[in-house]
Amino acid sequence: MMQSGKLIALAYNSEAFQQEPERLHDYYFQRLRWAKGNYQVVIHNFKHLFNRSNWRVKLEVMYYSATFFWFDAAIVLSNIIFLSNIAFLIARAFNPALSIPFTFGENNTAIMQVLLINWLLMIILYLLQISIAMSTQFGQATTNQIWIALASYFTYSQLFIIVSLHAVISVGLDALFHRDGSVWVKTKRFNN
């Protein structure tokens, strides 16, 4: 619709209800299905960044590409650095000669600056994404909600990265082995 120049109306006062799965296993695979679908849509529409598409389409594709690829890659990088430092701290207890690879000492000022800027941009992008979503619902874009969104960055988004990595790998393997990635397993909600 956007490609043809039409605008999509926003019904800001509409409400949607969702029934969450009862078991963690079912919840995981529901989120995996959604993440995989999001990656497929972004990859399929990435070509619109470089053709004569409507500027709104380009903006949407750029936004979702940044959200689903740059943000996730930054979280993975952040986690690798954190876990590497923890592993070296533990190993250092047994071998004091080991140096921690990603320290913010005098010798690694450039690394510190790049990683700090990356981390801050990652959090700002996350908060911007949540704020945009909240601003579409009347009364949701409050200071309290921003604090909750910040707390969710350190909890939910860290757990979601496992789902996201699984989805990226699955989409990649679907393309590599020419599998039909559109076959979904229906979410089980109740034991009836």
Side-chain angles (χ1 to χ4, degrees):
M1 288 177 60
M2 290 175 68
Q3 184 61 22
S4 66
K6 296 179 180 171
L7 297 178
I8 299 171
L10 173 66
Y12 69 90
N13 59 352
S14 63
E15 293 184 17
F17 297 95
Q18 177 177 315
Q19 190 177 34
E20 299 295 338
E22 290 182 329
R23 297 180 341 172
L24 183 60
H25 177 269
D26 298 329
Y27 183 79
Y28 177 85
F29 280 98
Q30 178 193 58
R31 298 299 165 160
L32 175 65
R33 186 178 73 238
W34 292 355
K36 192 173 174 182
N38 285 332
Y39 279 110
Q40 289 170 335
V41 167
V42 170
I43 291 167
H44 177 76
N45 289 298
F46 197 73
K47 64 186 174 210
H48 293 299
L49 282 176
F50 307 104
N51 62 18
R52 295 185 174 263
S53 295
N54 183 311
W55 69 270
R56 288 183 175 96
V57 173
K58 289 180 185 290
L59 182 64
E60 285 286 319
V61 171
M62 187 169 43
Y63 170 74
Y64 285 110
S65 296
T67 300
F68 287 103
F69 291 104
W70 183 76
F71 177 70
D72 286 349
I75 289 176
V76 170
L77 175 65
S78 175
N79 289 345
I80 288 170
I81 290 169
F82 176 73
L83 294 174
S84 297
N85 280 349
I86 294 294
F88 271 85
L89 277 172
I90 293 169
R92 197 170 174 187
F94 301 104
N95 183 0
L98 284 176
S99 62
I100 299 172
F102 301 105
T103 59
F104 300 141
E106 298 166 5
N107 298 334
N108 296 325
T109 305
I111 291 174
M112 176 196 68
Q113 292 169 346
V114 168
L115 293 177
L116 185 61
I117 289 170
N118 183 46
W119 184 66
L120 290 173
L121 287 174
M122 190 169 40
I123 292 173
I124 290 168
L125 178 65
Y126 181 80
L127 289 176
L128 179 63
Q129 175 186 353
I130 298 293
S131 297
I132 289 170
M134 286 190 301
S135 68
T136 63
Q137 294 291 321
F138 182 74
Q140 292 296 311
T142 64
T143 307
N144 191 35
Q145 294 288 31
I146 299 296
W147 286 112
I148 291 171
L150 184 60
S152 75
Y153 170 80
F154 293 101
T155 55
Y156 177 76
S157 70
Q158 298 301 318
L159 296 173
F160 188 75
I161 198 63
I162 296 166
V163 173
S164 187
L165 286 174
H166 188 170
V168 167
I169 292 167
S170 182
V171 168
L173 290 175
D174 289 347
L176 183 66
F177 295 119
H178 305 288
R179 298 187 304 205
D180 183 9
S182 64
V183 177
W184 304 117
V185 177
K186 181 71 177 134
T187 301
K188 295 178 185 172
R189 289 196 168 79
F190 296 101
N191 295 327
N192 294 0

